Amino acid sequence: MDVLWCLPLALLLLHRAACASDPVEVVGAVGRSITFFLQSMDTTTAWSFHSEVIVTVKFGNPPEVTFFDDNYKSRLAFPKNGSSLTISQLRLDDAGTYTAKRKGAKTSFALRVYRELAVPTVTCVAQNCSANGCRYTLRCTASSSGSGNVSYVWSAGGWPLSEGPTVLVEESALEELPLTCVARNPVSSRNATVISPAALCAENTTRPPTTGAYSGSQAGIVAACMAGAVVLVAALVFLIYCKCKGWSVFRLPAAEAMSTVFRWKTSCPPTKKEPGAQP
């Protein structure tokens, strides 16, 4: 009977031990700082990143520090007499697992680093108007490389409207203006406000064509170039034809050029007259 009670207890202790070894999750933003906290103790701690030792710290005031990776010298600090580690000027490649090993203990930290979001951009995706009014489809965009998962929430007049980057609003429901898009990621939150969806969509329709389309002046230049190319090809074909026929162009003196521009000489035999033709 005692054996049956000991087995669940042993499993519980194993589970707690496994949980204790799970890394502590820490989130930081590019350019900012984070701190890994340890319990104060009079001992030496070896900090490693991806299993490679980067620094050892001996507890004291001030702590004794030995670097094994000079790339961290200007960005590491050791508050609380060396019982904690602070990384400043965070970069995306700082993300990973940091482990603090000391006598009889080991603590791991899983660091995730993200870029802070910029102010979102709201664009008009579609506008559909009828006798009953207009409907507008708006899209909010704030994601960028290194920003992680970005969530979007739309509100109208301070009341939740929808979730996701795209929202559909009807003209009859625009009494609760303004519309606000809030974009969030693990390290920041930014918002953009739309006062008039109609004005936003009108602005989009009056903007110059995007890449892949020609403006009026560009179309005129393209047409002129194509016309010039056609004329050039026609001239070349004509010159080749003249050369085959044995024709040549003579430059006349200025006096004769007043009455005659070109004189043609041909070596082709005269054409035969049809029987009965008038001389």
Side-chain angles (χ1 to χ4, degrees), residues 15 47 52 64 74 88 92 98 139 152 165 179 183 188 206 211 238 245 247 257 260 262 273 279:
H15 175 71
W47 286 93
E52 295 289 335
E64 297 181 15
S74 61
S88 60
L92 290 176
Y98 293 80
R139 175 174 294 141
Y152 299 88
L179 294 173
S188 62
T206 57
T211 303
F238 179 74
K245 290 293 185 180
W247 297 351
T260 306
F262 294 100
K273 294 182 179 181

Side-chain angles (χ1 to χ4, degrees), residues 64-253:
E64 297 181 15
V65 179
T66 303
F67 284 95
F68 294 89
D69 189 337
D70 291 340
N71 293 325
Y72 288 94
K73 273 188 175 182
S74 61
R75 300 195 299 127
L76 296 187
F78 309 92
K80 295 187 176 182
N81 297 332
S83 63
S84 300
L85 171 67
T86 297
I87 306 176
S88 60
Q89 301 174 15
L90 283 173
R91 304 181 298 216
L92 290 176
D93 56 8
D94 287 330
T97 301
Y98 293 80
T99 302
K101 293 182 179 180
R102 54 206 182 278
K103 186 176 181 180
K106 181 177 76 170
T107 305
S108 295
F109 301 87
L111 174 62
R112 305 182 190 280
V113 182
Y114 302 95
R115 294 188 188 278
E116 292 186 346
L117 296 175
V119 175
T121 300
V122 179
T123 56
C124 177
V125 178
Q127 176 181 353
N128 185 9
C129 294
S130 64
N132 297 326
C134 294
R135 304 174 71 187
Y136 308 97
T137 302
L138 308 181
R139 175 174 294 141
C140 184
T141 306
S143 60
S144 61
S145 176
S147 60
N149 293 328
V150 181
S151 63
Y152 299 88
V153 176
W154 285 90
S155 63
W159 295 91
L161 186 62
S162 69
E163 295 183 358
T166 303
V167 65
L168 176 64
V169 293
E170 297 185 4
E171 195 170 34
S172 59
L174 295 181
E175 298 178 357
E176 299 295 337
L177 287 175
L179 294 173
T180 301
C181 168
V182 179
R184 293 187 179 90
N185 77 337
V187 294
S188 62
S189 175
R190 301 287 186 269
N191 64 78
T193 300
V194 178
I195 301 299
S196 172
L200 178 64
C201 290
E203 178 185 353
N204 285 3
T205 56
T206 57
R207 286 178 180 173
T210 57
T211 303
Y214 292 108
S215 65
S217 60
Q218 290 175 327
I221 294 173
V222 172
C225 291
M226 293 180 64
V230 171
V231 172
L232 180 60
V233 172
L236 290 175
V237 172
F238 179 74
L239 290 176
I240 295 172
Y241 177 77
C242 291
K243 188 173 182 180
C244 293
K245 290 293 185 180
W247 297 351
S248 59
V249 179
F250 294 89
R251 184 180 300 276
L252 297 178

